Amino acid sequence: MNHTPSVAVPQRSVPGTAASAVADGPASRFSKGSAAAVLVCWLLVVFDGYDLIVYGTVQSSLISETGWGLSKATAGTIGSMAFVGMMIGAIFAGRMADSWGRRRTILGCAVVFSVFTILCAFAPNAPVFGALRLLAGIGLGGLVPSANALVAELVPTKWRSTIATLMMSGVPIGGSIAALVGIQLIPAFGWQSMFLVAVLALLIVVPLGLKYLPETLAPARATGRETVRAAGQTAPAGHGLKEPAGFSSLLRAPYLGISMLFAVATIATLFAWYGLGTWLPNLMQLAGYNLGSALTFALALNLGAVAGSVITAWAGTRFGPIPTAIAAAAVAAVALVVLVTGPPVTVVYLMLVLAGVGTHGTQCLIIAAVASHYPGHLRGTALGWALGTGRIGAVAAPQVGGLLLAAGLGVNSNFFAFAGAAAIAAALLVAVGLKLKSNLSIHSSPSGASNV
């Protein structure tokens, strides 16, 4: 796996701080300041995972207790609203992070997500609830690509893939927290309490971000020859001072083909992952389990995803993110097909763990590949592109799941749909691997960056 060095942002900074790590390009060492910034970014990713599962935990309550007149199909539509917002947020926040700086984008997205999630607890009807979920999703969708772009600049290049994968362990950990908290809070305090948890992000994580996240500007936007000369440095020939940033650069040669493959593979992966996250508790209740048992199945899925983050971080470093992602997607597809056969409860738990390992692990590895293979001036945009377009799968999955159930096709139809998406992701990632090998064999970069 080849890595793409970030183009440095010449600026004055205190050595050893997170800011100086960014200023010097990819960090040569992992300082305490960088570690603190990475931890804050990880905590924000935890809330992304919490939000993935939180709607699934309250969905049956919204249908049966609110009097909003929700059916399974309309509940699926409302479930998709947050993912529509995430798609919008991811696409534009990645570009904003490359233009305005990672810190301001991350903190702004965190505040938007927190405020509108808290307001969901006070929604008087389904349309208002859906609108608030949409707005919260815009903030939440911007967090992951912006945080990953920042983290990629704070860690040594050789650790970039591993840290990017481990960063995403926050998603299933947040989901596990949602499942565990839901078992206790929903019966005692009602579904509204699940959304009030976002107060913690507003009161704790955002202030930590203000303290520890470095203020940066993306290399291509923040530099100029005058800035370089002022810093007493000479601009290297062929480096990013004249490199155009943005979608116009991402969606043309030599990046167009691989960018499209990454996007479609992410769509398929997030269809499987978010579909399971949204519908699994309800599916297991329809299969005859009570709410507490159904949420433990969701917990198994997320614990598998936590394990998958660690396993795929190691395997991605050892074998490369794309080959490992292919294997992970295949594991998820097989595990979900096994669920359709009606296995014993112990096997159900095991298959859900493997599904968590495979679906979430695949997405972690795609993010690691994108963060490693694009140059610094396009990294935030590329992450936003992949995750933003990938949210199409996240938007479609709750809708498709609800429509399949409304059509009377049963619980297994959902598992077949999610298994098919995982299999498609594996096939697309094979194409990504072939494309990368083809590019590496044809092109060579004088700066040492990967030609993707």
Side-chain angles (χ1 to χ4, degrees):
M1 181 182 67
N2 291 343
H3 297 288
T4 303
S6 299
V7 183
V9 182
Q11 58 181 321
R12 297 185 183 276
S13 56
V14 180
T17 65
S20 66
V22 177
D24 297 334
S28 59
R29 61 187 181 86
F30 200 27
S31 67
K32 291 182 179 179
S34 296
V38 170
L39 179 60
V40 171
C41 290
W42 178 83
L43 288 173
L44 291 169
V45 173
V46 168
F47 280 95
D48 180 87
Y50 182 89
D51 191 81
L52 165 63
I53 296 297
V54 71
Y55 183 74
T57 65
V58 304
Q59 189 178 65
S60 60
S61 299
L62 293 176
I63 293 173
S64 61
E65 298 176 11
T66 59
W68 291 350
L70 294 177
S71 65
K72 291 182 176 65
T74 54
T77 300
I78 289 179
S80 296
M81 295 304 292
F83 302 138
V84 172
M86 289 178 187
M87 179 172 62
I88 297 169
I91 290 174
F92 289 102
R95 181 69 182 93
M96 287 162 53
D98 281 344
S99 301
W100 299 347
R102 319 299 195 202
R103 181 177 187 265
R104 281 178 284 184
T105 303
I106 291 170
L107 293 175
C109 288
V111 170
V112 169
F113 154 70
S114 302
V115 169
F116 287 108
T117 298
I118 293 167
L119 291 176
C120 284
F122 305 99
N125 52 51
V128 172
F129 182 84
L132 290 171
R133 289 288 289 162
L134 173 70
L135 294 170
I138 291 174
L140 194 61
L143 281 177
V144 174
S146 303
N148 274 284
L150 176 61
V151 168
E153 295 169 351
L154 294 177
V155 301
T157 300
K158 66 178 180 178
W159 292 107
R160 185 178 291 157
S161 178
T162 301
I163 296 297
T165 306
L166 290 176
M167 265 277 295
M168 296 309 294
S169 69
V171 173
I173 289 175
S176 301
I177 292 171
L180 287 171
V181 168
I183 293 173
Q184 303 297 325
L185 287 187
I186 295 174
F189 302 105
W191 62 266
Q192 295 91 340
S193 60
M194 295 296 291
F195 294 96
L196 295 176
V197 172
V199 170
L200 298 176
L202 193 61
L203 298 183
I204 297 176
V205 184
V206 170
L208 287 174
L210 287 169
K211 181 175 181 180
Y212 291 111
L213 294 183
E215 181 66 84
T216 70
L217 288 176
R221 301 289 294 181
T223 59
R225 295 194 180 278
E226 295 80 4
T227 307
V228 172
R229 283 196 295 266
Q233 300 178 4
T234 303
H239 272 258
L241 294 181
K242 293 186 178 180
E243 294 272 11
F247 295 110
S248 61
S249 299
L250 193 69
L251 300 180
R252 67 184 182 191
Y255 304 109
L256 175 60
I258 200 67
S259 296
M260 296 304 297
L261 285 172
F262 274 131
V264 181
T266 306
I267 289 172
T269 304
L270 292 186
F271 183 94
W273 171 239
Y274 279 78
L276 283 170
T278 300
W279 277 107
L280 184 61
N282 196 263
L283 291 174
M284 301 316 286
Q285 284 183 278
L286 292 173
Y289 298 94
N290 60 37
L291 176 62
S293 297
L295 290 178
T296 61
F297 286 118
L299 180 61
L301 176 73
N302 283 277
L303 290 177
V306 174
S309 298
V310 177
I311 294 168
T312 55
W314 170 82
T317 302
R318 176 68 177 83
F319 303 107
I322 298 302
T324 307
I326 294 168
V331 166
V334 171
L336 290 169
V337 169
V338 171
L339 289 176
V340 176
T341 65
V345 174
T346 302
V347 177
V348 171
Y349 277 111
L350 177 60
M351 292 302 104
L352 287 173
V353 168
L354 291 177
V357 170
T359 53
H360 181 67
T362 301
Q363 186 53 44
C364 289
L365 290 159
I366 291 174
I367 291 172
V370 172
S372 297
H373 284 288
Y374 284 88
H377 69 283
L378 286 177
R379 186 173 296 121
T381 304
L383 286 165
W385 163 257
L387 288 168
T389 55
R391 299 289 183 178
I392 294 171
V395 170
Q399 297 261 37
V400 171
L403 291 173
L404 290 174
L405 291 175
L409 297 178
V411 170
N412 286 344
S413 64
N414 273 249
F415 290 128
F416 273 128
F418 303 145
I424 291 170
L428 289 166
L429 288 165
V430 170
V432 169
L434 293 174
K435 178 71 172 176
L436 291 177
K437 286 183 179 180
S438 173
N439 285 349
L440 288 173
S441 65
I442 294 174
H443 302 287
S444 62
S445 172
S447 64
S450 297
N451 284 312
V452 183

